[in-house]
Amino acid sequence: MSDVKLSVIYYSATGTIHKMAERLTEAGKQAGAEVRLRQVDELAPEEAIASNAAWSQHFDDTKDEPKATADDVVWADAVLFGTPTRYGNVASQLKQFLDTLGPQWQQGLLADKVYAGFTASQTAHGGQESTLLTLYNVIIHFGGLVVPPGYTDPLKFTDGNPYGVSHVTGPDNDAPLTDAEYAALDHMARRVVRIAGRLRGEG
């Protein structure tokens, strides 16, 4: 039985989404998937990045990491997209990447795959759900299969987000991920790998 192919594709400014993506990558591997971890290109001007010490540090720390391409979506059986919340919407960096996938979309190469999302914001009501729902609008146009975690495990009543996985970073944007988020990330990775395997007739 060949491995399910999972791509974890994300944008992270100050590192929270990056840490969530790394956790999903490890959980996906533990679930038996072959995993690609890919960061989308930074679009912000240098002066904007330099104005925030955490953003500047994270940019320097990750600038040499593999960058996402259309092939990373086409290759995958399942894709997890990560983005910080921007006014209750997907960050422009991830949206720009999604907007480049028109040729693959036209060929039907993005359809019939499993997709889910993860996000973070500074406040509990800072647009986490609307960000994920906006992301899923794109997946619907792909003809993809949105496989949110829902309340498919009791742990979701602790993390509290049936749309995906989210984290509140706090007013200083530095609150660490907790065991509740780690458990929710692990659960989502296992779930999308399992469903993707079933679609391949392997689960």
Side-chain angles (χ1 to χ4, degrees):
M1 181 176 71
S2 59
D3 289 340
V4 167
K5 298 179 177 68
L6 171 66
S7 282
V8 181
I9 298 175
Y10 74 97
Y11 171 71
S12 184
T14 59
T16 297
I17 299 297
H18 173 76
K19 291 174 184 174
M20 296 172 79
E22 288 184 320
R23 181 71 178 216
L24 287 164
T25 297
E26 291 307 310
K29 290 177 180 178
Q30 291 178 10
E34 179 181 353
V35 187
R36 291 183 183 180
L37 175 63
R38 298 290 187 268
Q39 180 187 56
V40 301
D41 286 322
E42 179 61 82
L43 303 177
E46 291 182 10
E47 57 268 26
I49 298 171
S51 70
N52 182 316
W55 192 356
S56 182
Q57 183 65 56
H58 182 67
F59 177 78
D60 288 340
D61 289 345
T62 62
K63 63 185 177 182
D64 295 326
E65 290 197 358
K67 296 299 184 286
T69 69
D71 178 67
D72 295 314
V73 183
V74 173
W75 167 86
D77 302 303
V79 183
L80 293 169
F81 284 122
T83 175
T85 290
R86 292 291 183 264
Y87 306 114
N89 207 330
V90 175
S92 60
Q93 290 86 346
L94 181 63
K95 185 59 166 62
Q96 191 271 346
F97 172 76
L98 296 171
D99 287 347
T100 67
L101 300 177
Q104 292 75 29
W105 165 73
Q106 288 180 323
Q107 296 174 67
L109 299 176
L110 310 180
D112 303 330
K113 301 174 184 292
V114 170
Y115 296 89
F118 55 106
T119 190
S121 64
Q122 287 182 280
T123 59
H125 299 286
Q128 295 178 347
E129 289 87 354
S130 64
T131 295
L132 292 172
L133 290 170
T134 301
L135 171 64
Y136 295 160
N137 287 338
V138 178
I139 305 313
I140 290 167
H141 282 259
F142 285 175
L145 304 172
V146 178
V147 180
Y151 291 101
T152 54
D153 187 284
L155 64 84
K156 292 303 295 180
F157 288 94
T158 301
D159 119 280
N161 188 342
Y163 302 96
V165 179
S166 58
H167 174 60
V168 178
T169 61
D172 295 324
N173 204 31
D174 61 356
L177 294 164
T178 70
D179 289 344
E181 283 99 31
Y182 285 135
L185 290 163
D186 292 348
H187 172 65
M188 186 166 72
R190 290 192 299 266
R191 178 169 163 78
V192 299
V193 169
R194 182 174 71 252
I195 299 302
R198 288 181 182 177
L199 289 172
R200 289 178 50 154
E202 298 174 354

